Amino acid sequence: MRSFFGRFKFLGIVLLLLSAVIIYLFYNALKPKKLLPVYSPAMVNSELVPEEIQHIRKYHTIADFSLTNQNGKTITEADYRDKIYIADFFFTTCPTICPIMTKNMADIQAQIMDDPNVLLLSHTVTPQIDSVAQLKKYALEKGVNDAKWNLVTGDKKVIYELARKSYLAVKTDGDGGPFDMIHTENFILVDKEKRIRGFYDGTKKDAIEELLEDLALLKASYLE
């Protein structure tokens, strides 16, 4: 009799484990899959979007550009063609949020080092100070890998227009003139079609973790 109940107990445990596995599989099958939005100006806080493009609801992409990196090389949208990339805006003499952002971007660089499909792009917002030589010095200090991460300088008006009208990353007041200054903690995730897929606080570790999770989702979407 004891042997019979012992076998019954074993069967009950097996059935319980099997039920748990089935429930887990059903849960994952029915759980909504996270989809990354494709951001357009109409979806973003109007303070971050110039009035003339606030009506755009789709087909927003990053504009073509031509800037100079830490090695004096001209960097254009062609260098990022068919790549996913993460962009931000910084300046080398910033004493507040930029060192934190650069450290977090360096951590992302370590995560994507062996992935040929993902790159990084940091734009200086003080191009009058951040010459090629200054960017190179900063790149060496911060562990920038030239094959993965471009620090770019160029015409201030061009960079500021990219920040405001393409990346939708900063408040719209200002014209890129001598007294205009932008300062944003945003990291922007851009897909292979030059579309914005996410905004993240580059000073916060939890936001960086979210960015990496979204990056994995974005990469997987190109394999489907």
Side-chain angles (χ1 to χ4, degrees):
M1 183 68 71
R2 185 176 297 175
S3 175
F4 172 78
F5 282 112
R7 288 195 296 271
F8 183 78
K9 181 180 179 181
F10 176 75
L11 180 61
I13 293 172
V14 171
L15 289 174
L16 183 63
L17 290 174
L18 184 60
S19 298
V21 170
I22 292 171
I23 291 171
Y24 174 79
L25 292 174
F26 266 107
Y27 173 77
N28 279 278
L30 296 174
K31 182 181 178 182
K33 183 179 179 181
K34 181 179 180 181
L35 297 175
L36 297 183
V38 177
Y39 283 94
S40 65
M43 296 169 62
V44 179
N45 182 340
S46 61
E47 290 186 353
L48 301 175
V49 183
E51 186 175 354
E52 65 268 28
I53 63 172
Q54 287 178 6
H55 67 282
I56 297 176
R57 298 187 175 276
K58 55 184 178 179
Y59 306 128
H60 177 77
T61 57
I62 305 303
D64 292 350
F65 58 88
S66 180
L67 299 166
T68 306
N69 79 353
Q70 66 267 26
N71 297 311
K73 177 185 175 184
T74 298
I75 299 297
T76 73
E77 69 287 345
D79 294 283
Y80 288 81
R81 184 173 295 136
D82 295 324
K83 305 291 184 183
I84 296 169
Y85 71 95
I86 299 157
D88 75 336
F89 294 83
F90 80 111
F91 56 107
T92 62
T93 56
C94 167
T96 54
I97 64 174
C98 296
I100 302 171
M101 293 169 61
T102 301
K103 171 63 170 61
N104 287 336
M105 193 69 92
D107 289 344
I108 294 172
Q109 177 184 246
Q111 295 290 322
I112 65 166
M113 190 62 72
D114 298 323
D115 190 334
N117 294 306
V118 185
L119 298 174
L120 308 175
L121 179 61
S122 294
H123 311 72
T124 177
V125 298
T126 58
Q128 70 278 13
I129 297 172
D130 289 333
S131 63
V132 169
Q134 176 70 5
L135 289 181
K136 186 62 178 181
K137 179 175 180 290
Y138 191 81
L140 291 172
E141 290 173 351
K142 303 302 181 181
V144 171
N145 184 299
D146 293 342
K148 300 298 292 183
W149 187 359
N150 288 299
L151 313 180
V152 291
T153 189
D155 183 88
K156 184 177 179 180
K157 285 184 178 292
V158 169
I159 292 171
Y160 278 46
E161 182 161 311
L162 280 169
R164 291 184 167 121
K165 293 186 178 181
S166 281
Y167 292 101
L168 313 178
V170 294
K171 289 187 180 294
T172 60
D173 53 329
D175 59 0
F179 303 105
D180 190 7
M181 179 66 184
I182 62 176
H183 208 206
T184 175
E185 71 281 1
N186 275 323
F187 282 7
I188 305 101
L189 179 62
V190 181
D191 68 16
K192 293 182 180 183
E193 290 73 43
K194 305 195 299 182
R195 303 174 302 183
I196 297 173
R197 305 305 296 271
F199 297 93
Y200 312 85
D201 187 331
T203 67
K204 295 181 178 178
K205 281 294 183 183
D206 57 345
I208 301 305
E209 290 173 5
E210 181 185 2
L211 189 162
L212 290 171
E213 290 172 1
D214 287 355
L215 174 60
L217 284 175
L218 184 55
K219 287 165 55 178
S221 72
Y222 287 101
L223 301 175
E224 295 174 352

